[in-house]
């Protein structure tokens, strides 16, 4: 029987300072370990030493104070104490099911590699560039295709994007200092203005903002309930011009067409 | 002080049959409600009736049996009983903090709209096409930019992608029937073969697979430890040819170049 998975809710999980338990130390476990370390989690890893992949050992060396390692098999409910998330990547389906059940009874989110129905969440292919993170999930249908689609998206992503995000984040933080308060009318006004900025300015322009530009946007824009132009913010104009993508093929075609007619005319004249 | 958020772990959360509590009924809450309903969650929504947005009321009408509605304010810990996830979107920071604390004490993942430090996870901009789901997160720096980047990615996404994912999912499920077992050598062999298929075939080709093609891939490919070609799988060749993207600008350039030289020659002859 082929059952189709249901739609997931894709979320950006905050693991900073949270304790993640990883059961297993092989190739898949090393990938999990890498992901949660990037999110600044505190990790406990349980696996007999002979099962450790070189990549896992490598991560141990790089993060000696963040990973607590136990050289043994999973030993039961006591291993789940104080744990905020459980990831297992072992070759034993029965132990996997046992761990998953224990975690679920305790309301601890759990992922069991390769056994979807024991998982509260799935991993996918992830792009990370500065504060920009993109998750590509095929709902468990094909991790490899997720990876291929990830590469396509990565190659199309404008280089300016991470810098644009950083600058908008700074602008937003400075705006919050100028007009503080959570929610309510000021919150709505801030949100409205930030949306106007992002709609009026391109990603490339936002990436070129500097501290002075940010101050100008606030002084001459926010304070006067408008959004200033790039030149008013002090972004030089020559940065602006970009050849459109089709310039090169069009020029090559133009050149080829010219040459061809020249040759035709030349051939006719020689006759 | 401007603090930078830490990297998130992006995950595809399974909410099918899970109980999600939403506190609030306004515009933001209606967006949350829509997202969790798409993931087949069972929802309890708490909000005084006068605070309900027309979009929220609309979703109530569309999903009468899945949403349990309470016409009142949040009343305390008892509202969290049996709940798997908590989302709040209200204009009262004190109540928000109170709910977040209660949820965290109980190990229930919580998101508080607009107050990042009270959140265990963030929402982002999400693309959904069949089984393909993409999450774009700016780590809370700029929801609007996430939305703009989302639209760029959406417009670049090949149309064949969701169908390719569906077909690879079917192929994988049929392969599992032929060569069952979790993990171990057979699991590795299956994984290796699926990766070879996805590397050899383009997304466009995978999207053209039909039931007969899938059977052929298994009979003539998997059984013989190889990956067959598209023509061996019975995909007609004319489907294959696709003009590259630069065809149109190159042709237009060629035409313009030809015309220009013709005009020059014509003008010289008239003299």
């Amino acid at each position: 029987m082929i059952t189709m998975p249901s739609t997931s809710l894709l979320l950006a999980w905050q693991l900073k300072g949270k304790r993640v338990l990883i059961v297993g130390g092989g190739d898949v476990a090393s990938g999990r370990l890498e992901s949660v370390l990037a999110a600044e989690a505190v990790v406990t890893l349980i696996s007999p030493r002979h099962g450790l992949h070189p990549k896992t050992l490598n991560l141990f060396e790089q993060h000696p104070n963040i990973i607590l390692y136990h050289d043994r098999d999973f030993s039961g409910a006591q291993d789940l104490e104080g744990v905020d998330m459980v990831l297992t990547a072992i070759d034993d389906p029965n132990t996997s099911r046992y761990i998953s059940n224990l975690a679920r009874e305790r309301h601890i989110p759990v992922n069991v590699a390769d056994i979807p129905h024991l998982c509260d969440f799935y991993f996918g292919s992830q792009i990370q560039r500065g504060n920009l993170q993109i998750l590509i999930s095929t709902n468990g249908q094909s991790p490899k295709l997720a990876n291929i689609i990830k590469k396509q998206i990565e190659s199309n992503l404008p280089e300016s994007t991470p810098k644009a995000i950083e600058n908008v984040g700074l602008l937003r933080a400075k705006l919050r200092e100028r007009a503080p308060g959570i929610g309510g009318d000021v919150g709505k006004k801030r949100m409205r203005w930030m949306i106007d900025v992002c709609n009026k300015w391109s990603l490339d322009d936002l990436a070129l903002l500097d501290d002075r530009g940010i101050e100008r946007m606030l002084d001459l824009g926010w304070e006067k309930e408008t959004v200033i132009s790039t030149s008013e913010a002090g972004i030089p104009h020559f940065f602006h011009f970009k050849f459109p993508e089709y310039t090169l093929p069009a020029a090559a075609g133009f050149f080829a067409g010219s040459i061809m007619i020249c040759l035709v005319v030349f051939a006719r004249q020689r006759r």
Side-chain angles (χ1 to χ4, degrees), chain A residues 254-265:
Chain A
F254 188 86
F255 189 68
S258 311
I259 296 280
M260 189 200 69
I261 300 294
C262 284
L263 288 176
V264 168
V265 169

Side-chain angles (χ1 to χ4, degrees), chain A residues 19-23 44-46 74 79-80 83 85-87:
Chain A
R19 182 158 291 277
V20 176
L21 171 68
I22 300 180
V23 182
T44 305
L45 192 141
I46 299 179
F74 181 79
D79 281 342
L80 298 182
V83 165
M85 179 176 273
V86 180
L87 313 174

Side-chain angles (χ1 to χ4, degrees), chain A residues 70-108:
Chain A
H70 296 296
D71 175 11
R72 57 169 171 84
D73 286 317
F74 181 79
S75 72
Q78 65 275 17
D79 281 342
L80 298 182
E81 245 165 67
V83 165
D84 298 298
M85 179 176 273
V86 180
L87 313 174
T88 88
I90 49 177
D91 260 348
D92 173 358
N94 289 327
T95 306
S96 294
R97 189 172 307 112
Y98 172 58
I99 298 173
S100 172
N101 289 340
L102 285 176
R104 284 177 165 178
E105 278 165 17
R106 282 157 186 76
H107 254 294
I108 308 171

